[in-house]
Every structure is written in structure tokens, then in C-alpha cells.
């Protein structure tokens, strides 16, 4: 997983980096020495919204991943942002569950209304 992340960084392709990051998390790379830092760097790179489509310097290979990362969020900033987003997600998930339940109740009333 570490090698896959390193290769994805070298390729500077965000789709490969996203796949490598998911694989690293699945393999619990953060429990290996240096793994947490690599995962944080990859997540920070992706969370920063960097994409070859939006960054013309990637097309000419004139921009290095390390140059991009120096302006990216630190691990602490990234963790704080994750917490902020999680706090927003939980109420939305609860609302979604409530709406699904309401939707099911309404759907169950449709046959009864059709008989009228």
C-alpha cells in the first residue's frame, strides 16, 4: 500500500492517488511507521482540490507534488476540517433517515388511496 501511494504521488494522477489512498486505509497503513503521515499527505493533496484538469502546470509536468503539498493543509488542519465536516454530516444523515421513513409511510398509503 505504501508503494502504491508513492507511485500514485509520482504519477501525479489524482484518480490513482484516490485509489491508492482507499487501499492504504483498507490495509490500515496508518498503523505502520510513517503510514499515517503518507495517508495524511495523500488525503491533504486530494482534499485541497488539486486536479490536473484545473491545474495547467500538471499538463506540462512542471509542478511537483511536493510543491503542491507545501501549501496544503497540515495534518492538524486536515483533522479539524474532517471533524467540522463530520459534525455537518451527522444531522444530515439523521434527517435523511427520517425522510426515508416518511417516504415509506407515504408509499404504503398509495394503494389505499388508489382504491378510493
Amino acid at each position: 500500500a505504501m508503494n502504491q501511494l508513492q507511485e500514485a504521488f509520482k504519477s501525479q494522477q489524482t484518480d490513482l492517488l484516490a485509489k491508492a489512498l482507499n487501499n492504504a486505509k483498507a490495509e490500515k497503513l496508518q498503523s505502520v511507521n510513517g503510514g499515517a503521515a503518507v495517508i495524511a499527505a495523500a488525503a491533504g493533496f486530494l482534499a485541497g482540490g488539486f486536479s490536473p484538469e484545473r491545474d495547467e502546470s500538471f499538463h506540462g509536468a512542471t509542478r511537483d507534488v511536493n510543491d503542491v503539498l507545501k501549501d496544503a493543509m497540515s495534518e492538524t488542519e486536515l483533522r479539524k476540517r474532517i471533524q467540522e465536516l463530520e459534525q455537518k454530516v451527522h444531522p444530515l444523515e439523521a434527517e435523511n433517515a427520517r425522510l426515508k421513513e416518511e417516504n415509506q409511510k407515504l408509499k404504503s398509503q398509495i394503494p389505499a388511496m388508489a382504491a378510493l
Side-chain angles (χ1 to χ4, degrees):
M2 180 74 82
N3 289 338
Q4 187 181 13
L5 272 172
Q6 290 171 341
E7 290 303 313
F9 266 120
K10 287 179 189 175
S11 75
Q12 297 187 358
Q13 294 181 21
T14 55
D15 58 336
L16 291 178
L17 188 57
K19 288 177 187 175
L21 180 60
N22 287 336
N23 185 42
K25 289 178 181 178
E27 292 188 19
K28 301 193 184 314
L29 184 65
Q30 67 273 15
S31 63
V32 175
N33 188 21
V38 173
I39 287 176
F45 184 82
L46 292 171
F50 302 109
S51 113
E53 294 77 30
R54 293 190 309 174
D55 190 338
E56 290 298 319
S57 60
F58 272 105
H59 293 292
T62 59
R63 189 159 190 192
D64 187 273
V65 171
N66 294 321
D67 290 339
V68 173
L69 288 177
K70 71 178 178 162
D71 295 327
M73 290 186 233
S74 69
E75 184 176 354
T76 302
E77 292 169 325
L78 185 57
R79 288 184 190 281
K80 182 179 177 185
R81 181 67 178 139
I82 289 169
Q83 287 177 336
E84 290 170 359
L85 292 173
E86 285 176 342
Q87 288 175 355
K88 290 180 180 181
V89 166
H90 294 301
L92 293 172
E93 288 173 337
E95 177 69 3
N96 187 40
R98 185 191 68 76
L99 290 171
K100 282 182 177 182
E101 184 178 323
E102 182 180 332
N103 191 23
Q104 287 300 320
K105 287 179 184 176
L106 292 170
K107 281 182 179 181
S108 69
Q109 294 173 2
I110 291 174
M113 291 182 149
L116 298 176

